[in-house]
Amino acid sequence: WKKIGALYKETGEKTKALSAYDSSAHYYSLGKDSSNLRSLLQDIGDVYYNDKQYQKSFHYYFKWHQLNIATKNKSDIVNSSYWLAWAAYDLKLIDTSKYYFNYCLNTAKDIGDKANQMYANLGLGSVAYKEYAYEEGEKYFNTALEIAIAEKNKKQEANGYKIKANAYATKLD
C-alpha cells in the first residue's frame, strides 16, 4: 500500500495517495512496524505540506518526530524536527518554528551532519527575518553559506543564496 501511495503522491493524486497511506498505516500499526510507520508518517506529512495544508502536515510530522525520539535515531530526529520547523513557520508559529530549527541544528551538530546544520541555519535566518531581526538573520545565513562553501557543495551554496534572497524579499514588503 505504501508504494501505491508513493506513486499517487508522485502524480499529484493527493486523495488516492492518502487513502493508500491510510491502509498502509493500519497494517504497520497492527504489525507494530514502527520503522515503516515513521517513514509513512513523513510521507503523509509531505503530501499535506505540498498541498499547503500546514496544520495537517504539522500533525503528521509531530507524530513522526515522537516516534523518532522514541527510537533515539538522531539522524531521523534531525529530519523530523526540520520539517516540523517549516510547517510551524508556514503556520506563523514563529516561536515553535525557532524551537524546532534549533533542535535540528543542535542535533545535527551532535552527529556531525553538516548539510542539516546548513539547512537549520537557513531556517533560523528565515525566522529571524520574519521577526525583523535582520542582523541575526544575516549571521545565520552567513553561517549556512560558510558551511556550504567549506563542504564544496555548489548545489547547497546556490540553495542557500536562494533561501536568503527569498527571506530578503520580506524586507521589501
Side-chain angles (χ1 to χ4, degrees), residues 9-156:
K9 177 182 164 186
E10 290 298 317
T11 61
E13 294 189 59
K14 180 190 75 158
T15 305
K16 289 180 180 179
L18 291 171
S19 177
Y21 284 150
D22 187 51
S23 295
S24 186
H26 175 72
Y27 291 111
Y28 290 150
S29 294
L30 286 176
K32 298 184 187 329
D33 184 349
S34 67
S35 177
N36 280 315
L37 183 57
R38 287 192 332 260
S39 174
L40 181 68
L41 291 170
Q42 177 188 6
D43 289 340
I44 294 170
D46 290 349
V47 169
Y48 284 122
Y49 189 85
N50 292 333
D51 198 43
K52 297 183 181 358
Q53 293 186 48
Y54 302 119
Q55 187 66 48
K56 287 182 179 180
S57 69
F58 186 88
H59 171 77
Y60 284 97
Y61 289 152
F62 186 75
K63 288 175 131 184
W64 171 39
H65 187 65
Q66 288 177 311
L67 287 174
N68 288 338
I69 289 172
T71 62
K72 298 180 175 130
N73 184 322
K74 288 189 176 188
S75 181
D76 289 340
I77 290 169
V78 167
N79 292 324
S80 58
S81 57
Y82 177 80
W83 285 106
L84 268 170
W86 277 117
Y89 179 88
D90 289 319
L91 287 167
K92 298 178 181 26
L93 302 172
I94 298 305
D95 288 340
T96 303
S97 179
K98 191 184 301 184
Y99 170 82
Y100 283 111
F101 277 128
N102 275 308
Y103 195 126
C104 175
L105 177 61
N106 292 328
T107 308
K109 283 180 180 178
D110 284 349
I111 61 174
D113 181 345
K114 294 289 188 186
N116 278 308
Q117 288 177 49
M118 187 201 78
Y119 289 125
N121 274 294
L122 290 171
L124 285 164
S126 297
V127 168
Y129 266 49
K130 187 73 112 180
E131 295 181 307
Y132 306 106
Y134 299 119
E135 283 185 35
E136 182 182 355
E138 284 298 313
K139 289 177 188 173
Y140 286 119
F141 287 132
N142 289 338
T143 299
L145 290 168
E146 287 169 12
I147 292 169
I149 291 166
E151 295 292 306
K152 296 181 171 79
N153 189 325
K154 294 293 183 188
K155 184 176 178 182
Q156 285 183 337

